[in-house]
C-alpha cells in the first residue's frame, strides 16, 4: 500500500505523515516513511530529533558520492541509508538539496522512482511529498493507493487544496482523503466543507499541544499522544489502516 | 530595492512579502510583486482580487538555436512592456505578476517559467522595486527563480524544522552571485525566540515579527493583513523591516 501526502507548505503534511507512519508501524505493519521533500524534516516529526534529522544522508547523495559501488535496488538503498525510528518505522530521505549546485533535482534518483520501486506486498510506504504538485504529477503509470490532501482552513490553503484534489482526480492517481488541520470550530468546518463539496473531509482540531511539540522539535505522538489533535490524526491513520492495511 | 522571501513552507513568506510590497509602495516606490508559484499565494496577502496573474502564451515565442528549442520574449516586447501590459494592478499601485495558474494535472510550465525569467532579466533596475515570494523549501531559491534579488529574506519561525531549513538556505546562499542573505524571525513570542533564530541559522537578523493571532483570522477570511489590521503588530514589524533594509542599503 502506498500513501502520498500532498498539500501547501505549512498545511501539516509532515506532521500528518509522521502520525500515519507510526500508527501503521505500531499496528504491526512493515512501514517505510519516505521523505520526498528536498528540504527533509520528517525525521523531527517522527521523533528521531533535530540533530539526527540534519545528519541523515539522502539516498541520492549517497549514490552520487559513490558510496554505492554497484547498481542496487531501492530496497537495498533504504536498508543501507535509512534509519530506524520509533515504533519500528524505517525512515529514508530521497534527495536533499545540500549544495549550491546539486544538479537537476529531477534527474538521478527521484521520489517518484523510489516510490514505485519500494512498493511490494506486505509493506506500507508513507510518502511525505514536497509542497505543491510537482512530484505527484510525475507519478506516471504508477498511481498510489491513497492521496492525503492536507489543508488549513485559510482561504489560500483551501484554494490550493481544491486545485490539488482536482489535479489528482484528473490524473486518476488514487483515492483522495482530504484532511483539514488546525480546525477551530464550526466556521472553519463550514469553510472546509464548502471548498470540498461532496467529499467528507477529516477534521483535525487546532491543538496547542501540536504547536508546542513543533516548537520543541519532538514528535506530537511522544509529547502529547492524548491531545485532541493528535488523537484525531491517529483516527485518520486508523481509517486508512482499516481501508487498506496489509494483513499478515 | 529588489528582495525575495524564502523559507520553509508555512513560515509566513507570502504574508510578509505581500505586506512588504504594500508598505514599500506606500513609501512612493513603484513596486512589482512577484509570485513564482503556480498555486495562488501572494495575491491574498497583497489584497489583489485576481489570483492568477500570469504571462499569456503570446508574450513568449519559440526559436531554435544550436538545434534546440528555446524561448524568448515576443519580438518588440521589453520587460517593462510586459509588466505594464500583463501585471495586475493592486491596491497602493502595486503591480502583481504570478507565474501563472497550473493548467491541468500535467502542465509543463517551461514556457511561462522562461518568459518570467526574461521579463525579470530585462526589467531595468532604475524605477522599479521588486518583492518576490519564492516557493517554500530549498529547491529553487537562489538561482533562476530568484536571481533578480539583491537581498534574500529568509523567513524562519522558532521551530527546529524551520531553523533547520534556514541553516540549509544559509549554506545554499554561498552561491557564485553571492547575494546578501538575512533572516527575519517570524511568529516570535519574545526576544529570546528571535535571538535563538539568528543563532541557529547563523544569519544576520534583519528584524522580528511577533506572533499575531489577527493574522490567523485574516488568513481564514482571505484578507490582506494590511487591510484587516493596518496598524497592528504584523504591519508595524514589516514597516520596521522596510526601514532597516532601506537604511542599510543606502549606507
Amino acid at each position: 500500500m502506498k500513501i502520498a501526502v500532498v498539500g501547501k507548505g505549512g498545511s501539516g503534511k509532515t506532521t500528518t505523515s509522521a502520525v500515519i507512519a507510526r500508527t501503521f508501524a505500531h499496528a504491526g505493519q512493515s512501514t517505510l516513511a519516505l521523505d520526498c521533500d528536498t528540504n527533509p524534516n520528517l525525521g523531527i516529526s517522527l521523533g528521531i530529533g533535530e540533530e539526527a534529522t540534519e545528519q541523515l544522508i539522502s539516498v541520492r547523495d549517497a549514490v552520487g558520492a559513490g558510496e554505492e559501488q554497484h547498481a542496487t535496488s531501492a530496497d537495498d538503498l533504504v536498508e543501507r541509508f535509512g534509519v530506524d525510528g520509533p515504533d519500528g518505522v524505517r525512515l529514508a530521505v530521497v534527495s536533499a538539496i545540500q549544495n549550491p549546485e546539486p544538479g537537476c533535482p529531477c534527474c538521478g534518483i527521484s521520489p517518484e522512482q523510489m516510490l514505485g520501486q519500494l512498493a511490494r506486498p506486505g509493506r506500507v510506504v508513507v510518502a511525505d511529498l514536497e509542497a505543491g504538485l510537482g512530484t505527484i504529477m510525475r507519478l506516471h503509470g504508477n498511481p498510489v493507493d491513497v492521496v492525503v490532501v492536507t489543508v488549513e482552513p485559510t482561504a489560500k490553503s483551501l484554494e490550493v487544496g481544491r486545485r490539488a484534489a482536482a489535479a489528482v482526480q484528473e490524473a486518476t492517481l488514487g483515492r483522495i482523503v482530504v484532511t483539514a488541520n488546525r480546525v477551530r470550530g464550526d466556521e472553519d468546518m463550514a469553510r472546509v466543507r464548502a471548498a470540498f463539496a461532496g467529499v467528507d473531509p477529516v477534521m483535525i482540531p487546532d491543538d496547542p499541544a501540536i504547536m508546542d511539540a513543533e516548537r520543541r522539535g519532538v514528535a506530537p505522538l511522544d509529547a502529547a499522544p492524548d491531545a485532541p489533535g493528535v488523537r484525531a490524526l491517529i483516527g485518520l491513520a486508523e481509517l486508512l489502516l482499516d481501508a487498506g492495511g496489509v494483513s499478515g | 530595492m529588489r528582495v525575495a522571501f524564502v523559507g520553509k513552507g508555512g513560515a509566513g513568506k507570502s504574508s510578509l512579502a505581500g505586506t512588504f510590497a504594500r508598505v514599500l509602495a506606500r513609501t512612493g516606490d513603484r513596486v512589482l510583486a512577484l509570485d513564482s508559484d503556480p498555486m495562488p499565494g501572494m495575491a491574498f496577502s497583497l489584497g489583489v482580487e485576481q489570483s492568477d496573474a500570469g504571462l499569456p502564451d503570446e508574450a513568449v515565442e519559440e526559436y531554435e538555436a544550436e538545434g534546440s528549442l528555446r524561448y524568448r520574449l515576443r519580438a518588440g516586447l521589453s520587460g517593462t512592456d510586459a509588466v505594464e501590459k500583463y501585471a495586475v494592478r493592486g491596491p497602493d499601485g502595486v503591480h502583481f505578476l504570478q507565474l501563472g495558474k497550473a493548467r491541468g494535472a500535467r502542465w509543463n510550465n517551461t514556457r511561462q517559467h522562461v518568459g518570467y525569467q526574461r521579463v525579470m532579466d530585462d526589467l531595468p533596475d532604475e524605477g522599479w522595486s521588486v518583492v518576490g515570494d519564492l516557493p517554500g523549501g530549498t529547491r529553487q531559491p537562489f538561482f533562476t527563480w530568484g536571481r533578480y534579488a539583491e537581498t534574500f529574506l529568509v523567513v524562519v519561525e522558532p521551530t527546529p524544522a524551520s531553523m533547520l531549513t534556514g541553516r540549509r538556505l544559509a549554506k545554499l546562499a554561498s552561491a557564485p552571485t553571492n547575494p546578501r542573505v538575512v533572516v527575519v524571525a517570524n511568529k516570535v513570542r519574545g526576544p529570546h525566540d528571535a535571538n535563538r533564530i539568528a543563532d541557529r541559522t547563523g544569519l544576520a537578523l534583519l528584524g522580528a515579527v511577533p506572533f499575531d493571532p489577527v493574522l490567523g483570522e485574516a488568513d481564514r477570511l482571505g484578507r490582506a493583513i494590511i487591510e484587516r489590521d493596518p496598524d497592528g503588530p504584523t504591519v508595524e514589524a514589516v514597516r520596521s523591516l522596510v526601514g532597516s533594509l532601506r537604511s542599510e542599503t543606502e549606507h
Side-chain angles (χ1 to χ4, degrees), chain A residues 39 54 130 137 182, chain B residues 106 139 167-168 193 220:
Chain A
N39 174 37
E54 187 164 12
E130 198 158 72
M137 290 311 149
R182 304 191 188 103
Chain B
R106 305 206 190 280
R139 185 181 274 267
R167 279 204 290 289
R168 288 176 178 146
D193 275 348
R220 279 168 159 75

Side-chain angles (χ1 to χ4, degrees), chain B residues 3-174:
Chain B
V3 301
F5 286 74
V6 297
K8 184 180 175 304
K13 289 179 298 297
S14 296
S15 299
L16 297 185
T19 309
F20 194 99
R22 291 281 302 268
V23 167
L24 201 56
R26 287 182 181 182
T27 68
D29 282 23
R30 187 159 61 145
V31 174
L32 173 60
L34 286 174
D35 186 355
S36 47
D37 196 325
M39 289 292 183
M42 195 186 195
F44 288 96
S45 44
L46 273 174
V48 173
E49 293 289 328
Q50 185 188 338
S51 64
D52 295 310
L55 287 177
D57 285 348
E58 78 240 24
V60 180
E61 63 186 17
E62 294 174 355
Y63 70 103
E64 229 181 273
E66 294 157 22
S68 66
L69 192 63
R70 306 209 177 152
Y71 295 104
R72 65 186 166 206
L73 288 181
R74 188 183 68 220
L77 185 73
S78 70
T80 310
D81 293 341
V83 170
E84 294 289 359
K85 194 163 179 190
Y86 302 120
V88 170
R89 287 322 131 82
D92 296 324
V94 171
H95 292 62
F96 171 60
L97 199 58
Q98 199 204 6
L99 175 64
K101 181 182 180 179
R103 301 171 195 172
R106 305 206 190 280
W107 181 50
N108 178 342
N109 68 12
T110 309
R111 189 185 186 105
Q112 277 67 28
H113 181 188
V114 174
Y116 191 94
Q117 293 303 331
R118 296 291 173 265
V119 170
M120 294 315 296
D121 289 346
D122 195 49
L123 192 73
D125 286 342
E126 285 297 308
W128 287 100
S129 277
V130 179
V131 180
D133 180 17
L134 294 182
T138 51
R139 185 181 274 267
Q140 38 172 255
F142 299 108
F143 310 97
T144 55
W145 294 91
R147 69 181 176 214
Y148 54 80
E150 302 154 345
T151 308
F152 285 91
L153 284 75
V154 183
V155 181
V156 175
E157 47 180 324
T159 66
S162 193
M163 292 188 282
L164 174 54
T165 306
R167 279 204 290 289
R168 288 176 178 146
L169 287 167
K171 192 172 160 198
L172 289 169
S174 56

Side-chain angles (χ1 to χ4, degrees), chain B residues 190-208:
Chain B
H192 169 76
D193 275 348
N195 293 334
R196 194 159 134 251
I197 286 169
D199 242 30
R200 301 298 304 277
T201 58
L203 291 168
L205 183 70
L206 181 69

Side-chain angles (χ1 to χ4, degrees), chain A residues 7-73:
Chain A
K8 187 185 162 309
S11 61
K13 282 185 299 298
T14 301
T15 304
T16 305
S17 303
V19 175
I20 293 174
R22 281 189 55 180
T23 305
F24 270 75
H26 191 76
Q29 306 279 327
S30 163
T31 306
L32 173 68
L34 196 60
D35 195 338
C36 299
D37 196 335
T38 51
N39 174 37
N41 295 311
L42 180 57
I44 296 175
S45 297
L46 278 173
I48 69 164
E50 181 189 359
E51 204 178 319
T53 300
E54 187 164 12
Q55 284 167 1
L56 263 179
I57 182 162
S58 80
V59 168
R60 189 167 186 273
D61 284 342
V63 172
E67 290 186 29
E68 196 52 47
Q69 295 298 324
H70 309 285
T72 44
S73 69

